[in-house]
Amino acid sequence: MRRIAPLGLRTRLIAAFLLVAAISAGTTAALTYQQARNAILKQTQDTAVSTLRDQVEQQEIRLPLEQQELQRIVIELGKRGKPHPWIIFGEYGGIRVSTNPGTPTSTVITDSLRDRVRNNQYAAFQRVEDQRGSPWLTIGVPALFEHNGYIESTGVVFYASVPLSTEKQTVEAMVEAAQQGAVPGLAIAIVPALLAARSVLRPVRDMRRAAQKLGRGRLDTRIEVRGADELAGLARTFNETARALEQSVRELQEAEVRARRFASDVSHELRTPLAGMLAVTEVLDEDAARLDADTAKALRLVSAETGKLAVLVEDLMEISRFDARAAELNLDDVDIAEAVRKTLERRHWDDARVVTDLPHGVRARLDPRRFDVVLANLVGNALRHGGAPVHVTVSTAAGADGERLLIDVADSGPGIAPEVLPHIFDRFFKADAARTRSAGSGLGLAITLENVRLHGGTLRAGNRPAGGALFTLDMPLEAHV
Amino acid sequence: MPRVLLIEDDPSIREGVGLGLRRRGHEVRAAETGEDGLALMTSFHPELVLLDLMLPGINGVQVCHRIRQTSEVPIIMLTARGDDFDIVIGLEAGADDYIVKPARTEVIEARIKAVLRRLSDPVGSRPGIESHGELVIDRAGLTVAKNGERVALAPSEIKLLLHLSASPEQVFSRQQLLEYVWDHSYHADARLVDACVRRLRHKIEDPARSPRYIQTVRGFGYRFGPL
């Protein structure tokens, strides 16, 4: 089921604001209307009831009453209608008269009113509507007389029908006024609603934008703090967090740069003395033959260690170039079979120790010097730590983004121990604790991996089912700078 | 044995390399600064210069420029800066090859020999004077003239030109040129080829037009002609 997208904060704020405005306007209008309407009607009916009662009391009624006499009294009463002209009906036994000669009985006087007047000897009134929906106030007043200190009913009852159309118009006008006032009122309420929404939403929007910038690495992003409300507090907290983040990132970066520069400077400084030493090591080696055994041994040791140190410094320089992202690709169009053959030949590995399977005519665009380093390192490692014969297999495969070059280097040794496998590309990782000083610098595979990555490729290490380590190089046939 | 001028400010390298080369029969004179080295050029007449790039006073690149103004003596840069940028700067200044320090005397000597081996190059053995457009190449005298005027070429430049022009229209890959001209068997360093081709073009091509004699075959290498 698809969920309805939640409304935006602004819409919700405005809706809530308008709802509150509508409810308060509606409630106020309804209460006012009811109060005013009751007040108007009450005044009208009170006036009318008391007027009729007073008038009836002033009439002298002598029983028994003739129809003419009753008619006269009715007409007399009819003239004194207040606050509006009214229609008076008189009832006495079977006699029915009214101020309206055509209609001696009323259509709006109900039986319930008649009952209340007859039984209670008090005036009663009722608000009714006739067939056309016009409101009427109907009042019934019994004519009484005093007899031996008791008030008794004469049996004559006067009814008055007072039209309430004026009051109805007044009330209708009030309702209309309330309606006409509420709609523009609500429309005007939108303005403060928008302003309120804006004042709340702008800091929120600013903060969202700032958080996005911060996420993209613009750590110098800050928010302008306005006012002293909760949103301003949030903005201040955001700024403090961003400042702290920027500070620690800067410290980390500076520390990293320092460490990198130190490694680079150390290697660099080592080169000069090494250059002098390495240039004369052959002199030492040659002369060692003519010296006594201990001195010869010492000289050869110095010579050999100098050579190792030179390799180590060279590798350190290379690694620090990768770390400083100063390593560049110098791409060239290369025949892979030819390049592999050359690499093996240069290092005198082109004998039975290395078995190759090289497809003819595979050309790749890569950095030949780096490719040479990669291949030489993999084959050299295989020969040193694994064992001959080493199989080098070159193939190509279609990849997601173009043709890929696959090179497998497999040895015939014992394979790589499972606990070693995850760390095999780590710097200075020593696979065997006993063999802490191998011929390599301990950086060979790390450099190899960096060179492969520079070409946009991957290097995996594993073991063959039949035993022996297997390194798989997978890189684009066309590297891009 | 060849006379080698070593310009190097660091005493341990100066003495170490000097010692190593002398033991192998070279006649070595060493200079501490570029100025001293330039002064020795006129009195010592070296057959090869080993030049450090970072020198007090005038630096290696400037020394290289000055030597090239008067002489076609082979120059090999000795540099502690293995970064691509520094190597290319040195090569553009007119050096024939470079060695990254530290290096064994063995390696230094191999490079010296490769640079000096220009006369016995088999492709240059075809005797006679050839004419290609406005270029006249004297394979026996190892001179090149353009419009009748002699063009001064460094050893690696003339070697490259002789090799390319011996087989006009044949395309050579950078790797092939590297092996034939520089005898580099350890590094597939195509920057040497590119820098040398740039320098050669600067000397023999008409600057207003696209390269005519030495043409680039994109993605593969270079060829001489067709004119």
Side-chain angles (χ1 to χ4, degrees):
Chain A
M1 201 177 85
R2 214 181 114 228
R3 279 184 59 192
I4 298 164
L7 292 170
L9 196 55
R10 171 202 285 268
T11 319
R12 271 150 58 197
L13 269 170
I14 292 174
F17 208 91
L18 287 184
L19 193 65
V20 169
I23 287 171
S24 52
T27 315
T28 313
L31 288 173
T32 314
Y33 161 75
Q34 205 173 7
Q35 290 291 326
R37 178 175 174 270
N38 286 349
I40 290 167
L41 290 178
K42 194 167 184 300
Q43 196 193 4
T44 306
Q45 74 205 14
D46 285 357
T47 314
V49 170
S50 64
T51 308
L52 184 62
R53 199 170 48 212
D54 291 349
Q55 294 300 324
V56 170
E57 274 172 13
Q58 284 169 19
Q59 297 301 320
E60 257 180 56
I61 295 165
R62 293 166 192 281
L63 295 176
L65 204 60
E66 292 298 315
Q67 183 165 1
Q68 283 82 3
E69 180 62 11
L70 191 59
Q71 182 73 55
R72 185 193 62 81
I73 297 170
V74 162
I75 286 170
E76 188 68 22
L77 288 173
K79 288 175 189 164
R80 295 162 208 254
K82 249 189 194 172
H84 310 301
W86 54 27
I87 304 166
I88 303 290
F89 300 89
E91 290 183 8
Y92 176 62
I95 304 169
R96 299 282 186 273
V97 291
S98 81
T99 47
N100 225 355
T103 48
T105 54
S106 168
T107 51
V108 293
I109 294 166
T110 57
D111 290 341
S112 63
L113 182 69
R114 284 199 177 92
D115 288 347
R116 273 159 61 195
V117 175
R118 278 195 201 118
N119 300 337
N120 296 332
Q121 300 183 354
Y122 299 123
F125 62 89
Q126 205 172 30
R127 276 206 301 269
V128 290
E129 285 184 358
D130 65 10
Q131 289 100 333
R132 281 174 300 190
S134 310
W136 291 86
L137 173 67
T138 54
I139 311 163
V141 176
L144 305 173
F145 70 97
E146 207 177 317
H147 174 71
N148 298 337
Y150 293 101
I151 303 286
E152 281 188 27
S153 174
T154 56
V156 183
V157 182
F158 296 99
Y159 297 97
S161 299
V162 185
L164 287 175
S165 49
T166 317
E167 284 73 14
K168 192 187 174 193
Q169 275 167 15
T170 310
V171 170
E172 272 171 1
M174 273 171 53
V175 171
E176 207 175 324
Q179 277 175 350
Q180 281 173 349
V183 173
L186 280 181
I188 290 167
I190 286 185
V191 176
L194 280 170
L195 287 175
R198 206 171 115 89
S199 70
V200 171
L201 283 180
R202 197 175 40 200
V204 172
R205 216 169 23 228
D206 286 354
M207 219 166 292
R208 189 185 67 184
R209 217 174 287 140
Q212 280 173 346
K213 270 162 100 182
L214 203 64
R216 280 197 298 266
R218 293 276 310 279
L219 295 180
D220 57 342
T221 308
R222 298 287 182 275
I223 302 172
E224 192 187 331
V225 181
R226 293 191 201 87
D229 56 4
E230 287 86 345
L231 284 169
L234 186 56
R236 251 193 301 279
T237 311
F238 179 93
N239 285 347
E240 278 160 22
T241 311
R243 199 171 296 124
L245 188 66
E246 191 185 12
Q247 173 89 13
S248 48
V249 166
R250 196 191 303 122
E251 277 166 15
L252 278 175
Q253 280 171 343
E254 279 167 6
E256 198 195 336
V257 166
R258 267 199 305 276
R260 212 158 52 200
R261 198 183 302 139
F262 180 72
S264 171
D265 287 350
V266 166
S267 337
H268 206 269
E269 288 306 314
L270 283 173
R271 294 179 105 162
T272 307
L274 263 177
M277 287 158 74
L278 206 61
V280 295
T281 49
E282 287 136 310
V283 178
L284 297 181
D285 283 339
E286 282 168 20
D287 289 358
R290 285 184 268 124
L291 297 169
D292 69 274
D294 277 359
T295 316
K297 202 174 167 188
L299 283 182
R300 288 206 178 94
L301 194 64
V302 167
S303 171
E305 292 299 306
T306 306
K308 281 185 196 169
L309 197 57
V311 171
L312 175 61
V313 167
E314 209 48 55
D315 284 355
L316 273 173
M317 288 294 293
E318 186 73 2
I319 274 284
S320 50
R321 264 197 290 275
F322 279 114
D323 286 352
R325 300 185 203 287
E328 288 178 5
L329 276 183
N330 285 296
L331 296 181
D332 204 358
D333 201 48
V334 170
D335 183 300
I336 293 297
E338 180 82 9
V340 173
R341 256 195 299 275
K342 281 269 157 61
T343 296
L344 300 178
E345 200 182 292
R346 271 171 222 145
R347 290 165 182 84
H348 309 290
W349 291 333
D350 49 346
D351 48 18
R353 286 182 298 164
V354 181
V355 183
T356 55
D357 179 7
L358 307 172
H360 190 71
V362 176
R363 300 195 71 84
R365 193 162 172 74
L366 44 77
D367 185 327
R369 191 173 62 91
R370 297 190 186 280
F371 182 72
D372 177 70
V373 168
V374 167
L375 198 66
N377 201 285
L378 292 179
V379 176
N381 263 353
L383 286 170
R384 199 179 307 128
H385 301 302
V390 171
H391 295 266
V392 178
T393 314
V394 174
S395 59
T396 56
D401 44 358
E403 282 277 287
R404 296 189 79 80
L405 173 66
L406 301 172
I407 300 181
D408 283 348
V409 178
D411 65 43
S412 310
I416 308 165
E419 66 271 18
V420 172
L421 215 43
H423 306 288
I424 193 120
F425 294 110
D426 290 359
R427 295 170 186 185
F428 296 116
F429 182 76
K430 304 293 180 190
D432 179 2
R435 197 186 55 214
T436 48
R437 295 296 306 271
S438 68
S441 66
L443 289 169
L445 275 177
I447 290 174
T448 305
L449 181 62
E450 293 286 1
N451 273 318
V452 172
R453 279 189 187 144
L454 202 59
H455 282 91
T458 57
L459 185 59
R460 287 188 302 277
N463 287 313
R464 285 194 298 174
L470 169 66
F471 284 85
T472 307
L473 166 69
D474 177 351
M475 61 185 227
L477 211 52
E478 298 239 333
H480 296 280
V481 177
Chain B
M1 272 304 197
R3 288 194 304 278
V4 176
L5 172 60
L6 174 62
I7 307 178
E8 165 68 65
D9 62 319
D10 190 275
S12 74
I13 303 178
R14 202 168 56 233
E15 282 164 28
V17 173
L19 184 63
L21 287 176
R22 274 191 206 102
R23 284 283 291 243
R24 287 169 179 266
H26 295 271
E27 191 185 340
V28 182
R29 290 285 280 276
E32 266 183 67
T33 62
E35 290 85 346
D36 290 355
L38 287 171
L40 274 174
M41 282 296 294
T42 46
S43 58
F44 180 52
H45 293 295
E47 289 165 79
L48 184 130
V49 177
L50 275 176
L51 177 62
D52 185 19
L53 260 190
M54 297 194 350
L55 288 169
I58 60 169
N59 67 30
V61 174
Q62 290 166 311
V63 172
C64 195
H65 272 299
R66 296 227 191 141
I67 293 175
R68 276 283 168 267
Q69 282 169 7
T70 55
S71 164
E72 279 91 60
V73 66
I75 300 172
I76 298 177
M77 295 174 340
L78 265 181
T79 171
R81 319 258 302 249
D83 295 342
D84 294 351
F85 178 75
D86 301 295
I87 292 169
V88 170
I89 293 265
L91 291 175
E92 295 279 346
D96 293 283
D97 202 349
Y98 71 87
I99 300 170
V100 176
K101 289 189 276 192
R104 293 177 182 279
T105 315
E106 198 183 10
V107 174
I108 299 172
E109 200 195 13
R111 296 291 178 85
I112 292 175
K113 278 186 177 159
V115 170
L116 290 174
R117 205 185 293 133
R118 59 176 177 175
L119 301 181
S120 56
D121 195 327
V123 294
S125 62
R126 205 164 43 167
I129 295 170
E130 291 169 12
S131 173
H132 304 273
E134 286 130 34
L135 279 189
V136 177
I137 301 172
D138 179 355
R139 290 189 176 276
L142 294 171
T143 54
V144 175
K146 186 187 174 193
N147 293 328
E149 277 179 51
R150 191 170 164 214
V151 184
L153 295 178
S156 55
E157 292 159 10
I158 195 157
K159 244 169 127 176
L160 179 68
L161 182 61
L162 288 178
H163 187 72
L164 284 172
S165 63
S167 320
E169 296 184 42
Q170 185 187 329
V171 181
F172 295 96
S173 74
R174 290 175 170 127
Q175 186 60 42
Q176 283 172 319
L177 294 172
L178 204 56
E179 284 170 25
Y180 280 122
V181 178
W182 283 269
D183 211 6
H184 267 222
S185 50
Y186 291 100
H187 286 293
D189 202 337
R191 288 169 300 193
L192 281 171
V193 186
D194 293 337
C196 191
V197 165
R198 269 199 292 277
R199 272 161 29 210
L200 197 50
R201 278 177 177 161
H202 185 69
K203 289 177 180 174
I204 63 170
E205 303 279 359
D206 187 350
R209 286 158 58 180
S210 55
R212 183 172 166 220
Y213 299 106
I214 299 172
Q215 297 176 359
T216 308
V217 181
R218 247 189 100 72
F220 192 78
Y222 299 99
R223 70 170 177 226
F224 189 84
L227 297 177

